[in-house]
Amino acid sequence: MIDVLVVDDDFHIAEINAAYVAQVRGFRVIGRAHTAAQALATLERAHVDLVLLDHYLPDETGLTLVRRMRQLGHHADVIMVTAARDVATVQAAMRYGALQYLVKPFSFAGLRARLDGYAAMRRTLDGVGGRGEAGQDQVDRIFSAFKIADAPRSELPKGHSVATVALIRRTLGEAQRPLSAHEVAERTGVSRSTAQRYLKYLERTGHISLTLKYGDTGRPEHRYAWAATT
């Protein structure tokens, strides 16, 4: 399980965000904090993998809190979840090491996609090993884990869903090699025709790469991999 600390000065929003996190498989909320001081106190006494952090806190900003966390030796990852949308704050969040930045208001699907991306990144890191060495392909997967197919519903073709796009993205991202449409269908639980339809869309939009594998029959088999550059 991935242990999450939700930090937001608004009690109601903190509860909503915590409820969202609880709906995502593999994640659990271990605490809620409404000030930077409360967040630091929780980090001192409990194991935290990920902090969902608001920028506007009553005692100091979220970015200042991130800097203090690092100075005190707290290595929990951070996803900013805030209404702050000025470029300076976004840029500072990147410099301080925030892995993602989610602007309020957001949907459950938006948060879930980022949590799924975070989980995929951790699985990739676990596969490499904390003290091991990573090849370029593994490095690309680590850095591209958050680059998710998170297109708004209005931008998806009719009959396509964000949830299925995210499921296929996660399946391809976790695979150690390119997969056929049949293999994608088996691993995701969708029909082969559905898998083919989504794979064609994702390949057309540049999210996945297509390669051909030639067998004894001479007829090539289409194989798909998540494109690390998207």
Side-chain angles (χ1 to χ4, degrees):
M1 297 293 288
I2 296 172
D3 294 327
V4 181
L5 171 62
V6 176
V7 183
D8 199 293
D9 68 319
D10 188 310
F11 284 69
H12 179 62
I13 292 177
E15 287 302 320
I16 292 175
N17 291 349
Y20 279 171
V21 173
Q23 294 181 57
V24 182
R25 185 174 61 181
F27 290 82
R28 65 184 173 193
V29 177
I30 57 87
R32 301 162 185 77
H34 308 294
T35 66
Q38 290 176 357
L40 285 174
T42 302
L43 289 164
E44 290 288 349
R45 67 172 184 266
H47 170 75
V48 177
D49 295 305
L50 176 65
V51 180
L52 296 186
L53 179 60
D54 187 17
H55 180 58
Y56 298 119
L57 301 175
D59 48 352
E60 61 182 278
T61 68
L63 293 183
T64 303
L65 174 58
V66 175
R67 187 167 54 187
R68 290 185 62 198
M69 286 170 54
R70 302 313 181 215
Q71 291 171 345
L72 294 171
H74 298 300
H75 301 296
D77 295 315
V78 174
I79 293 179
M80 298 296 295
V81 180
T82 178
R85 58 182 67 210
D86 58 287
V87 175
T89 300
V90 175
Q91 187 177 44
M94 294 173 63
R95 288 174 175 169
Y96 290 169
L99 295 179
Q100 263 285 6
Y101 199 105
L102 188 59
V103 177
K104 297 178 181 176
F106 55 87
S107 66
F108 169 60
L111 178 59
R112 180 179 61 189
R114 283 154 180 82
L115 293 179
D116 284 342
Y118 176 73
M121 182 195 72
R122 285 177 58 98
R123 285 191 293 269
T124 303
L125 288 169
D126 290 343
V128 174
R131 298 179 181 275
E133 294 185 350
Q136 187 62 54
D137 287 346
Q138 292 168 313
V139 171
D140 288 342
R141 287 186 181 186
I142 293 168
F143 275 86
S144 65
F146 276 117
K147 295 182 179 179
I148 49 180
D150 191 28
R153 293 180 185 275
S154 60
E155 295 181 7
L156 289 174
K158 185 177 180 180
H160 290 63
S161 74
V162 172
T164 303
V165 168
L167 177 62
I168 291 177
R169 182 219 64 81
R170 185 168 64 246
T171 299
L172 291 175
E174 294 173 358
Q176 300 299 312
R177 57 175 177 78
L179 301 177
S180 67
H182 176 70
E183 290 172 320
V184 171
E186 283 189 334
R187 297 188 185 197
T188 59
V190 303
S191 69
R192 183 170 181 175
S193 62
T194 297
Q196 289 175 325
R197 181 158 49 90
Y198 277 83
L199 290 168
K200 287 180 180 178
Y201 162 71
L202 291 170
E203 192 272 331
R204 186 174 64 252
T205 55
H207 288 91
I208 63 178
S209 58
L210 169 65
T211 57
L212 300 178
K213 180 181 179 181
Y214 289 87
D216 296 335
T217 62
R219 184 177 181 181
E221 180 182 49
H222 290 192
R223 290 186 173 264
Y224 302 89
W226 192 254
T229 57
T230 62

